[in-house]
């Protein structure tokens, strides 16, 4: 998890996060902070949200790693991965125990592995239907993550 957060910090310092992406992340963080302060969400709700964000972070991290390996453009996916890393840290309860943090990390790692396999199947499957299904599933998963933040 620290490695991913460091990636975000490097991307922010290097100016690789677009202004729109920074504004979106900031607005989301502000919304979550306001929601938490007015609604007094239960710790379980915050952990569920952190798991969702970690899952999306894993998907975008897989996209960055896979596209980088394949020589494709990674800028947008890298920005999204960084944004979800920030969101995970924002909603993670300060008093979260080690088991809760392991659960969040497992959500990230599980999504990373699944998304990587989808991307691999989309590019290298001998079955055209399977390849198309993998492409569509990967795109839907990323779109679902975008809709968590952008609506």
């Amino acid at each position: 998890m620290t490695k991913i957060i460091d990636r975000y910090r490097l991307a922010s310092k290097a100016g690789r996060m677009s202004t729109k992406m920074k504004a979106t992340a900031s607005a989301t963080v502000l919304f979550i902070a306001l929601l938490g302060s007015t609604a007094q969400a239960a710790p379980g709700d915050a952990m569920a949200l952190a798991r969702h964000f970690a899952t999306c972070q894993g998907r975008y991290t897989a996209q960055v790693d896979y596209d980088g390996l394949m020589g494709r453009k990674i800028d947008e996916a890298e920005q999204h991965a960084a944004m979800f890393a920030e969101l995970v840290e924002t909603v993670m309860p300060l008093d979260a125990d080690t088991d809760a943090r392991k659960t969040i990390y497992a959500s990230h790692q599980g999504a990373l592995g699944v998304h990587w396999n989808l991307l691999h199947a989309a590019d290298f499957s001998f079955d055209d239907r399977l390849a198309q299904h993998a492409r569509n599933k990967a795109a839907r998963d990323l779109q679902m993550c975008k809709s968590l933040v952008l609506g």
Side-chain angles (χ1 to χ4, degrees):
M1 187 75 84
T2 305
K3 178 182 172 186
I4 296 161
I5 294 166
D6 290 341
R7 268 187 178 172
Y8 165 73
R9 289 182 182 139
L10 288 174
S12 293
K13 288 179 184 175
R16 289 189 295 200
M17 279 189 85
S18 68
T19 305
K20 182 179 177 185
M21 188 64 63
K22 285 180 185 176
T24 301
S26 298
T28 303
V29 168
L30 178 62
F31 173 75
I32 290 168
L34 290 173
L35 181 66
S37 66
T38 59
Q40 296 299 321
D45 295 340
M47 289 304 294
L49 193 55
R51 276 194 307 279
H52 286 300
F53 288 152
T55 297
C56 290
Q57 180 189 5
R59 288 176 181 152
Y60 276 106
T61 300
Q63 192 74 47
V64 168
D65 293 346
Y66 190 84
D67 285 349
L69 183 66
M70 300 302 285
R72 299 176 187 147
K73 184 179 165 189
I74 63 170
D75 296 339
E76 183 180 345
E78 194 171 45
Q79 290 174 2
H80 281 88
M83 179 183 64
F84 281 110
E86 183 175 322
L87 292 171
V88 168
E89 289 302 312
T90 301
V91 301
M92 176 80 73
L94 294 175
D95 61 348
D97 60 9
T98 303
D99 288 340
R101 292 183 183 277
K102 285 180 181 178
T103 300
I104 298 301
Y105 185 70
S107 296
H108 172 268
Q109 289 300 106
L112 190 151
V114 168
H115 198 76
W116 179 277
N117 288 335
L118 285 171
L119 296 171
H120 186 267
D123 282 348
F124 297 108
S125 177
F126 292 110
D127 182 346
D128 290 339
R129 290 181 313 168
L130 178 63
Q132 186 60 44
H133 177 73
R135 255 189 300 284
N136 291 341
K137 173 77 170 120
R140 277 193 316 270
D141 286 350
L142 293 180
Q143 185 58 44
M144 187 276 309
C145 288
K146 284 182 185 179
S147 70
L148 274 177
V149 179
L150 303 175

